[in-house]
Amino acid sequence: MSDTVDSSGPSKRTYAIIAAVALVSLGAGYALSLVGDEGEGGMSGSSETECEEVLYWYDPMVPGQRFDEPGKSPFMDMMLVPKCAGEAAEAGVRIDPGLVQNFGIRTAAAEFGVLEPEITVTGVLAYNSRDVAIVQPRAGGYVQRTYGLAQDDVVRRGAPIVDILVPDWGGAQREYIAVLDTGDQALADAMRQRMRLLGMTDAMIASVERTRRVQNTFTVTAPVGGAVTVLGVRPGMTVTEGQTLAEIAGFSPIWLEASVPEAQATNVRQGQPISATLAAYPDERFAGRIVAILPSADAASRTITVRAELPNPRGRLKPGMFAQVSLSPDTRRALLVPSEAVIRTGRRNLVMLKQDEGAFLPAEVEIGREANGRTEILAGLAEGEEVVTSGQFLIDSEASLAGIDIRSIDGTMSMASDGSAKMRTYTATGRVTKIAGASITLNHAPVPALEWPSMVMPFALADATLAEDLEPGDQVEFTFSQHDTGPRIESIRKTER
């Protein structure tokens, strides 16, 4: 029995060892085959089986650089990732609907409305310089009376300013009275003309004719109502013809001069209504209109001065008073989105568009005025498109990491006044490297309008027949447009080498 066991034992052990070695070899071979598949085929091999057509390859960390062949990234220690043609229709960031709710992502539709911006600036009341009168005598003489006036006194129209004695008038008036007594009408007419040249008014001449008495003292009155800003006459003075005796400035209407930042210069115009509040009358608002926009800007404050007129019938508004001024630019109907939806990068303005449930796409927009929490969209959006108003920065970060293309302004139907829209095109030069059906790969020169460097990239052809006479190596000049699915060549022609 013991011999049997001894003879059979080694045989069983041998079988067990052989079986173990076979199992280990099988497992090692399977593992090596997996490693080989991963190392040799890589991501591109599996992707090629999933992609019916590969547009280009790219590095997810440098999504702006595109390659026409698979391989290892020159920037990172990783394989290039293929961009499938089918992905173009689903461009954008996808987020699980549950996470959309958890993140509190909200959206709002772009809609037409009336933007009512309001600019609040500071201003100061001033005399109305268009309503200034210079008081001068019509003849030289001696000041007899000044009626007790002082500078800054307020006078009404027709109020007496000064009485002046003119000795030369006495002799002329006596001669005129003597001529009247002779009945010589022609000579009397000549004497009246002489008296006018001496500075007498028709009223004074008529009074001399009626009373037959000499009147060589006359009263200078205020031609307008206002404040006496200059008073250059005192009792006993000798004055000459044309000498300035006083200046009177009106203040009804009164001027309001406001300083507007030069960035808002396009929002003000002559005739525009304004309203003002003053510390002296906090419960009242005074309405007026802009009458002038001064031609120069203040170099220190970088502001322009606008001048408005405010009615001041009772003289309550005083020059020098400080005012808060509200300017209301012209209202117009515009496409509006909430201001919080706009991402300002410094180089451009973006919004995150909601495409379908959980899908979002970054889009570049051109913005205009902003007021009351809403921003005017000049180009880049269409009415009804939904933009993200909360959580858009998270989506924008995800889009940047994923290398998602941004929909350009030219890739959207622009809002024209006549309802039409045109797609912008760009012209560039390059060399053909590959032609495949309705796609052509070009090694193109820089495109400054799009800030593209020189690179090799594929373009879709608007018509496959455009490349019929081309072959790899040809130098070409081409025109292309930007679309959500990528650039598309509209025309292409061979050029001289």
Side-chain angles (χ1 to χ4, degrees):
M1 177 67 70
S2 62
D3 292 341
T4 304
V5 170
D6 291 339
S7 62
S8 64
S11 178
K12 291 182 178 180
R13 284 196 298 271
T14 300
Y15 292 148
I17 292 171
I18 292 173
V21 170
L23 288 174
V24 171
S25 300
L26 182 61
Y30 179 69
L32 288 174
S33 68
L34 290 178
V35 173
D37 289 343
E38 184 177 356
E40 296 176 6
M43 191 174 294
S44 62
S46 60
S47 298
E48 286 181 0
T49 59
E50 295 176 2
C51 293
E52 294 183 0
E53 180 183 356
V54 177
L55 297 178
Y56 57 87
W57 281 261
Y58 69 98
D59 185 336
M61 302 305 293
V62 191
Q65 186 71 40
R66 301 177 179 184
F67 304 88
D68 58 351
E69 297 292 341
K72 191 173 182 179
S73 169
F75 310 107
M76 302 291 176
D77 187 17
M78 61 184 297
M79 302 300 294
L80 296 175
V81 178
K83 183 72 171 182
C84 300
E87 293 178 2
E90 299 179 356
V93 180
R94 286 202 168 273
I95 299 178
D96 183 86
L99 294 179
V100 171
Q101 184 174 1
N102 292 338
F103 288 157
I105 296 176
R106 303 190 309 272
T107 61
E111 58 184 6
F112 280 96
V114 176
L115 192 68
E116 298 180 349
E118 186 174 285
I119 306 170
T120 301
V121 296
T122 58
V124 178
L125 298 180
Y127 285 112
N128 188 341
S129 296
R130 289 197 180 94
D131 194 15
V132 174
I134 306 298
V135 181
Q136 297 175 330
R138 304 181 64 171
Y142 306 99
V143 175
Q144 288 191 323
R145 184 182 178 186
T146 58
Y147 294 91
L149 292 177
Q151 188 170 331
D152 291 330
D153 280 352
V154 177
V155 295
R156 69 183 185 280
R157 182 177 182 178
I161 302 296
V162 62
D163 289 347
I164 298 178
L165 171 65
V166 185
D168 293 343
W169 284 3
Q173 290 177 5
R174 291 188 185 93
E175 291 179 9
Y176 178 54
I177 294 172
V179 169
L180 291 176
D181 291 339
T182 64
D184 190 336
Q185 189 62 38
L187 187 57
D189 290 341
M191 286 300 302
R192 274 194 292 271
Q193 183 62 27
R194 179 192 173 196
M195 293 168 70
R196 291 190 186 96
L197 294 176
L198 289 174
M200 299 181 205
T201 63
D202 289 337
M204 177 177 287
I205 295 172
S207 177
V208 171
E209 183 178 351
R210 184 178 64 256
T211 62
R212 296 294 201 275
R213 295 176 57 185
V214 174
Q215 301 177 18
N216 55 0
T217 299
F218 72 100
T219 301
V220 178
T221 59
V224 297
V228 180
T229 56
V230 175
L231 185 63
V233 61
R234 292 292 183 268
M237 285 180 59
T238 299
V239 297
T240 60
E241 180 182 353
Q243 178 180 339
T244 297
L245 304 180
E247 290 185 10
I248 302 175
F251 49 83
S252 182
I254 196 170
W255 277 2
L256 171 61
E257 296 188 341
S259 299
V260 178
E262 62 179 340
Q264 301 287 350
T266 58
N267 293 326
V268 294
R269 61 171 178 80
Q270 192 169 338
Q272 180 177 320
I274 63 103
S275 63
T277 57
L278 291 86
Y281 312 105
D283 298 329
E284 293 186 56
R285 295 186 72 88
F286 299 86
R289 288 189 176 275
I290 294 176
V291 295
I293 301 174
L294 302 195
S296 61
D298 186 272
S301 62
R302 307 314 309 165
T303 57
I304 62 171
T305 301
V306 298
R307 179 178 293 155
E309 286 185 352
L310 303 179
N312 189 27
R314 291 182 289 169
R316 293 195 304 156
L317 304 181
K318 313 295 183 184
M321 282 186 172
F322 184 80
Q324 289 285 344
V325 186
S326 296
L327 306 175
S328 299
D330 293 336
T331 59
R332 64 170 180 259
R333 193 167 181 265
L335 186 65
L336 305 175
V337 298
S339 297
E340 59 186 348
V342 181
I343 302 173
R344 294 170 172 84
T345 67
R347 294 179 54 195
R348 56 186 174 184
N349 301 297
L350 304 176
V351 295
M352 300 305 299
L353 290 177
K354 180 181 179 182
Q355 293 184 293
D356 53 30
E357 192 65 29
F360 303 92
L361 175 69
E364 183 180 359
V365 294
E366 181 182 349
I367 63 174
R369 297 185 297 180
E370 180 179 354
N372 304 322
R374 298 195 298 176
T375 298
E376 178 183 20
I377 302 297
L378 301 178
L381 278 183
E383 183 180 13
E385 288 189 298
E386 290 196 33
V387 297
V388 178
T389 60
S390 176
Q392 64 270 35
F393 290 98
L394 294 174
I395 301 174
D396 181 53
S397 299
E398 179 66 22
S400 298
L401 291 175
I404 302 298
D405 291 334
I406 297 174
R407 192 179 79 177
S408 66
I409 294 177
D410 300 308
T412 303
M413 299 296 284
S414 60
M415 294 163 288
S417 58
D418 59 358
S420 63
K422 294 183 178 180
M423 185 72 71
R424 182 177 176 182
T425 58
Y426 306 88
T427 301
T429 59
R431 179 175 55 83
V432 178
T433 62
K434 182 180 178 182
I435 301 174
S439 175
I440 184 171
T441 302
L442 301 173
N443 184 355
H444 67 76
V447 184
L450 295 175
E451 299 182 352
W452 282 5
S454 177
M455 69 176 78
V456 178
M457 62 181 290
F459 291 81
L461 292 168
D463 187 350
T465 60
L466 292 174
E468 283 182 348
D469 299 328
L470 301 176
E471 59 184 21
D474 286 341
Q475 296 290 334
V476 295
E477 182 181 60
F478 60 99
T479 300
F480 68 97
S481 57
Q482 286 283 67
H483 298 264
D484 293 345
T485 55
R488 185 181 71 189
I489 290 180
E490 307 295 338
S491 64
I492 185 169
R493 66 179 183 87
K494 188 186 303 186
T495 60
E496 296 292 336
R497 290 182 179 270

